[in-house]
Amino acid sequence: MNYKTTKILWKTFVWIVLIIGTIITLVPLFWMLSTALKSNAEVMQFDMVWWPEDPKWSNFVEAFTTLPFGEWTMNTIFITVFTIIGTLLSCTVVAYGFARFNVRGNKTLFIILLSTMMLPSTVTMIPQFVIFRELDWINTFYPLIVPSFFGNATFIFLLRQFFMTIPTELEDAAKMDGLGTMGILGRIILPMTLPALTTVAIFQFNGAWNDFMGPLIYLSDPDDFTLALGINFFKGENNQVQWNYLMSASVISMLPSLLIFFFGQKYFIQGINLSSGIKG
Amino acid sequence: MKKKIYLTESKRKTITFYLLISPWIIGFLAFVLGPMIISLFMSFTKWDLLTDPKWIGFDNYTKMFGDSLFYQSLKVTFVYSIFSVPLQLILSLAVAMLLNQINWGVKVFRTIYYIPVIVSGVAVMVLWSYIFNPEIGLINQVLKMVGIKGPGWIFDEDWAMTSLVVMSLWNIGGTVVIWLAGLAGVSKDLYESATLDGANKWQLFRFVTLPALSPTLFYNLIMGVIGALQTFNQAYIMTDGGPNNSTLFYNYYLWVNAFDNFEMGYASAMAWILFIIIIILTLIIFKSSSSWVYYESERK
């Protein structure tokens, strides 16, 4: 066997493995969509039904009318939007401080910031619950939204890394022209930081949209549920799970994240590379 | 009469710095440090949230030694971490290396492999409980087509852990992307000179690729371990810690103690023990890293 044949065989092998991986990755999602469109009888069938004979798109309507999925979606959107606003405002300012003001205390505080990323959330979970209970914030959205206005270690780190890559000449020039710190941040830095801010917004969107433990602790009234809680509630409520409705609700809940991912892919890649400390 | 105060440049800089980072400092005090102190205090009390907390010294900590469910939760969490983290790392590295072999289509594959990370959440766990359903689930129906009677997966105590590890392997897209970034940074010159020296494919991998990837491995390993030790959603959404406590994850058992049994003190003590475990493991990885992590700058 000469060099060329070996190379072709190897390439073929690589492609086959990658395609098998693709199938394994996609089949569960395909199965979810197909189940979402099945009739009640087809769901319970013991033989494989890859695709329903007569796809019931009405299942989506059914799922949203039998349970308040519409309301849960609105709750989720509300919480998600406000945490994105809070995260962007707080993390930008804090990250800028850490990136540009090399004064005493910067290094130490930055190390503290990094080490909070290692702290298991359960250490602060119970006291936070107690504090929010004292404030009478249980069964409100406050415990889920307010903390986002006080920064998030991962995003501060990510934005700081990004700020460090921006040369300081422009800022120095702006300072000469008498622009203050907030002016520099708003007019010079932010326009250049838009890609990184988009990355943070997207990650925060996914985090808030999919958050389970937070809503689980603070929201107990079904009217206040988020989609994540609602879907779990729907699953646990019936002994005989109606998988087709459950899957159609799941499909809907995944759709926004998927759409954002397909349109904002490069921001994901950039974010992952920045946060793992590797140049993007 | 107003007196204008003149600050030196460095003082003004310091003040601006602290003003800028003040949101984080307030948040750190209110949502991290404050709660940590309260949590530490709570771990020495017995408290059901309704009556006043009662100081009981180290009782919560000594209680763990006699609590068989505590041992079970430790065992479950360690077994899961020991299998899922290395398997995820190896599989994702293999995928990244394969992606590195092809010239086009990399972006399409990368996108597809990343989808499970995007949709991760309750919906995915609910989907997997359905996939694992012994009668009408996807896996067993496929197995039946080839004449195999599949196991009970998450409903069988001998298979539940395996099921969750398998599920975790579906989620490697994020790690693949990090490996790819690491691979892009491996210097081509090293490959060339090693090939000229007559290194074969395995030697290239073992002595060029792997050392160059060691910082990436270091990062993935630490994040993987910290994440795996805190597994919660799978147990809560898919298995309720069962069957027969076979998936009683540490954080799930902690949750049960806090919000089902209202043993706030005991749950707090458990949280601190987990924190200590994470610190020790991270320190071990950090200390050992000097002997297996190579940074480009050190070679120069």
Side-chain angles (χ1 to χ4, degrees):
Chain A
M1 223 164 36
N2 63 31
Y3 178 72
K4 212 170 171 194
T5 354
T6 330
K7 208 172 169 189
I8 291 172
L9 276 177
W10 170 246
K11 286 262 152 136
T12 320
F13 170 75
V14 170
W15 272 90
I16 290 173
V17 175
L18 286 173
I19 288 169
I20 292 175
T22 305
I23 294 171
I24 294 173
T25 309
L26 291 182
V27 159
L29 296 166
F30 167 79
W31 171 255
M32 176 171 72
L33 184 63
S34 110
T35 307
L37 298 171
K38 283 176 187 171
S39 67
N40 291 337
E42 277 168 322
V43 173
M44 296 315 290
Q45 210 159 304
F46 284 96
D47 289 312
M48 189 64 141
V49 182
W50 278 111
W51 192 253
E53 233 165 76
D54 172 26
K56 285 171 76 86
W57 295 95
S58 60
N59 282 352
F60 287 99
V61 183
E62 208 80 31
F64 269 72
T65 43
T66 40
L67 278 165
F69 270 106
E71 219 173 317
W72 293 340
T73 311
M74 290 315 290
N75 292 341
T76 316
I77 292 175
F78 184 87
I79 294 171
T80 307
V81 167
F82 276 97
T83 58
I84 291 177
I85 295 173
T87 305
L88 288 180
L89 285 177
S90 57
C91 295
T92 313
V93 179
V94 176
Y96 186 66
F98 276 120
R100 282 294 191 266
F101 293 83
N102 206 358
V103 299
R104 253 183 72 176
N106 185 321
K107 267 214 177 105
T108 319
L109 288 170
F110 193 66
I111 289 172
I112 294 177
L113 175 101
L114 289 184
S115 48
T116 59
M117 289 202 257
M118 274 194 328
L119 183 73
S121 57
T122 43
V123 171
T124 50
M125 174 182 83
I126 297 170
Q128 278 184 13
F129 175 79
V130 174
I131 293 169
F132 289 132
R133 189 165 157 269
E134 285 301 309
L135 292 170
D136 234 352
W137 280 5
I138 306 298
N139 285 322
T140 72
F141 296 152
Y142 292 124
L144 304 170
I145 294 172
V146 172
S148 70
F149 281 81
F150 295 92
N152 166 302
T154 316
F155 297 144
I156 292 172
F157 174 65
L158 194 147
L159 285 175
R160 174 191 174 267
Q161 298 298 92
F162 189 85
F163 287 145
M164 304 283 262
T165 64
I166 301 176
T168 55
E169 279 86 13
L170 268 176
E171 286 159 75
D172 296 337
K175 220 182 277 173
M176 296 288 218
D177 293 345
L179 212 57
T181 307
M182 290 317 267
I184 294 175
L185 183 57
R187 285 197 228 158
I188 314 272
I189 299 290
L190 282 193
M192 283 194 278
T193 319
L194 269 182
L197 291 178
T198 312
T199 305
V200 169
I202 290 178
F203 276 117
Q204 177 59 34
F205 174 90
N206 266 343
W209 192 267
N210 291 324
D211 184 21
F212 181 65
M213 216 188 207
L216 183 66
I217 296 173
Y218 294 110
L219 308 175
S220 55
D221 180 349
D223 286 341
D224 299 334
F225 277 5
T226 59
L227 271 176
L229 274 192
I231 288 171
N232 184 55
F233 177 75
F234 192 15
K235 174 180 177 261
E237 202 196 23
N238 322 304
N239 281 331
Q240 192 66 57
V241 184
Q242 284 178 294
W243 288 109
N244 44 353
Y245 297 153
L246 193 54
M247 288 300 128
S248 41
S250 301
V251 170
I252 299 278
S253 81
M254 286 177 183
L255 227 44
S257 309
L258 276 178
L259 286 178
I260 290 178
F261 173 58
F262 284 125
F263 290 110
Q265 246 202 85
K266 63 171 188 193
Y267 299 112
F268 275 92
I269 306 298
Q270 187 188 33
I272 294 167
N273 292 349
L274 271 178
S275 57
S276 61
I278 302 157
K279 269 210 190 127
Chain B
M1 204 179 92
K2 235 185 195 172
K3 200 178 163 194
K4 205 161 185 192
I5 305 165
Y6 288 98
L7 291 172
T8 58
E9 170 73 13
S10 81
K11 266 205 182 124
R12 198 176 312 142
K13 257 185 120 179
T14 311
I15 292 172
T16 318
F17 169 70
Y18 283 98
L19 278 178
L20 285 172
I21 68 161
S22 60
W24 172 71
I25 292 192
I26 296 169
F28 174 70
L29 296 177
F31 302 120
V32 182
L33 191 64
M36 277 175 80
I37 295 166
I38 300 175
S39 168
L40 189 62
F41 172 78
M42 279 170 74
S43 75
F44 295 108
T45 65
K46 191 173 173 56
W47 192 23
D48 59 5
L49 282 182
L50 301 169
T51 53
D52 286 337
K54 208 176 98 200
W55 186 267
I56 55 168
F58 278 92
D59 280 11
N60 284 324
Y61 290 94
T62 47
K63 185 176 158 189
M64 280 175 220
F65 290 104
D67 181 356
S68 61
L69 285 180
F70 172 78
Y71 286 117
Q72 175 68 13
S73 72
L74 264 186
K75 193 183 116 192
V76 164
T77 309
F78 277 124
V79 168
Y80 177 77
S81 308
I82 287 167
F83 283 98
S84 76
V85 176
L87 285 176
Q88 275 181 322
L89 288 180
I90 293 168
L91 192 64
S92 55
L93 176 59
V95 170
M97 303 262 315
L98 289 180
L99 283 175
N100 227 22
Q101 304 275 317
I102 57 175
N103 303 320
W104 55 276
V106 178
K107 278 194 177 160
V108 177
F109 281 120
R110 193 179 64 183
T111 306
I112 293 169
Y113 290 141
Y114 198 73
I115 290 175
V117 185
I118 297 300
V119 296
S120 69
V122 176
V124 164
M125 311 233 166
V126 170
L127 167 66
W128 277 92
S129 349
Y130 180 40
I131 289 172
F132 283 135
N133 186 297
E135 278 90 33
I136 55 170
L138 176 66
I139 299 183
N140 278 5
Q141 287 207 340
V142 170
L143 287 176
K144 204 169 83 179
M145 290 196 308
V146 291
I148 301 169
K149 193 187 172 326
W153 300 107
I154 54 171
F155 301 94
D156 180 337
E157 64 171 287
D158 296 327
W159 281 87
M161 178 58 75
T162 314
S163 312
L164 295 185
V165 172
V166 167
M167 194 181 99
S168 77
L169 298 181
W170 189 63
N171 242 332
I172 55 171
T175 325
V176 170
V177 173
I178 300 177
W179 283 124
L180 280 175
L183 281 168
V186 183
S187 114
K188 296 273 175 299
D189 300 351
L190 274 176
Y191 279 120
E192 270 167 29
S193 52
T195 316
L196 282 179
D197 289 345
N200 62 32
K201 278 214 151 137
W202 165 250
Q203 286 167 329
L204 278 183
F205 173 74
R206 172 67 190 81
F207 297 108
V208 179
T209 315
L210 214 49
L213 283 180
S214 57
T216 315
L217 172 62
F218 177 66
Y219 174 84
N220 282 339
L221 183 64
I222 287 197
M223 298 315 269
V225 169
I226 293 179
L229 290 177
Q230 296 185 69
T231 306
F232 172 78
N233 288 5
Q234 289 89 317
Y236 189 92
I237 296 166
M238 298 174 67
T239 62
D240 290 322
N244 195 17
N245 296 326
S246 59
T247 58
L248 187 78
F249 280 92
Y250 195 92
N251 268 0
Y252 179 74
Y253 185 50
L254 190 158
W255 170 279
V256 169
N257 277 314
F259 294 105
D260 286 347
N261 306 340
F262 294 104
E263 295 254 22
M264 293 295 165
Y266 191 49
S268 299
M270 277 187 71
W272 277 94
I273 295 295
L274 180 66
F275 187 26
I276 292 168
I277 292 173
I278 288 181
I279 291 176
I280 293 174
L281 286 178
T282 314
L283 280 181
I284 292 175
I285 299 174
F286 258 97
K287 286 269 175 228
S288 76
S289 72
S290 60
S291 64
W292 59 268
V293 176
Y294 303 93
Y295 289 98
E296 186 90 26
S297 52
E298 286 171 14
R299 273 202 304 262
K300 280 174 189 160

